[in-house]
Amino acid sequence: MEPRVTAPITIALVNDYDIVVMGIAHILEQYGDRVVIAELDTNKPVSDMVDIVLYDCFAQPESDHDEISVLVRNQRARRVAVYTWNFDPDVIDSARQQGVHGYLSKALPARDLVSALEAIHAGDIVISDPPSRARSIGGLNWPGRSEGLTDRESEILALITQGKSNAEVATLTHLSPNTVKSYIRTIYRKIDVTSRTQAVLWGVHHGFTPDHHRIEHWRGGP
């Protein structure tokens, strides 16, 4: 997709973890002539009038839950796009039915992500092709990355740290219970714990609890 607008579009980044939204902001800021970050929201409603809300699904309910409809109904958000690696067809259909304008893969190179946002701003519905591998683009960040956890492993540990049961984790991530158990075993091995209580304590001490504030006017934004 080629750029279709000349004025920078305004973006609000939404996720419950500062490290996640700040990673996206760092990726996008190299395209400051095309996109401007108005705010980064963690557990706060969008307050600025923005062209697009980019909702990152890391350790969040997927787009078949109420969080998306709340964003779509927010009159300060002209359009809403989901940023994810989950391309379950039912989840995509639910997102579209709720009024999402974009369903964007975390595997998109930064330049393609920006072009997709511009296309959404221009009025298109943009649905990325499912990634061949669930690997995020360089520059994204998540809690536990420096300790060797993949983004998917970190997401599951974040949900466990939030107090979710295995069944709830499976529902939220659209993974099978057996797959969740397999991830948990790998996580335990990587962080050197042997119980859920130890894993939760490790998560609490390594940035896996949600943040609760808004970072406004990112690097001189509106």
Side-chain angles (χ1 to χ4, degrees), residues 1-20:
M1 290 177 287
E2 295 297 325
R4 297 172 54 177
V5 294
T6 55
I9 58 178
T10 55
I11 308 291
L13 304 177
V14 175
N15 182 272
D16 280 358
Y17 291 83
D18 284 351
I19 190 173
V20 172

Side-chain angles (χ1 to χ4, degrees), residues 20-162:
V20 172
V21 292
M22 291 178 75
I24 304 170
H26 281 295
I27 289 171
L28 293 178
E29 69 179 353
Q30 62 185 307
Y31 297 92
D33 59 329
R34 296 165 63 184
V35 295
V36 174
I37 308 301
E39 62 188 60
L40 289 73
D41 297 320
T42 53
N43 276 315
K44 296 286 186 180
V46 174
S47 65
D48 284 334
M49 183 68 73
V50 296
D51 294 316
I52 300 173
V53 169
L54 188 61
Y55 174 77
D56 189 296
C57 289
F58 176 86
Q60 306 299 300
E62 292 286 356
S63 51
D64 55 347
H65 292 263
D66 292 340
E67 282 74 8
I68 290 296
S69 61
V70 169
L71 289 173
V72 170
R73 292 196 304 269
N74 189 327
Q75 295 184 354
R76 295 182 179 276
R78 297 184 179 93
R79 291 177 173 80
V80 176
V82 176
Y83 192 45
T84 184
W85 54 68
N86 186 352
F87 277 75
D88 182 287
D90 291 338
V91 178
I92 297 174
D93 288 344
S94 175
R96 297 190 67 177
Q97 290 170 13
Q98 292 186 71
V100 163
H101 302 86
Y103 199 89
L104 308 179
S105 170
K106 289 189 176 183
L108 285 174
R111 63 181 181 278
D112 292 341
L113 173 60
V114 172
S115 293
L117 292 170
E118 289 175 334
I120 291 167
H121 178 56
D124 291 348
I125 302 295
V126 180
I127 309 295
S128 297
D129 293 330
S132 57
R133 300 179 63 185
R135 177 176 295 176
S136 302
I137 64 173
L140 293 181
N141 208 351
W142 54 86
R145 183 180 184 183
S146 60
E147 284 79 18
L149 295 175
T150 67
D151 44 11
R152 197 55 148 167
E153 291 165 353
S154 291
E155 178 179 42
I156 289 171
L157 180 54
L159 292 169
I160 290 173
T161 304
Q162 293 173 27

Side-chain angles (χ1 to χ4, degrees), residues 177-205:
N178 285 338
T179 300
V180 170
K181 290 179 182 177
S182 178
Y183 271 116
I184 291 173
R185 286 193 295 269
T186 300
I187 292 166
Y188 283 11
R189 185 175 67 253
K190 285 188 174 183
I191 65 176
D192 194 26
V193 302
T194 57
S195 71
R196 198 179 197 87
T197 299
Q198 290 176 340
V200 170
L201 288 173
W202 191 96
V204 168
H205 288 98

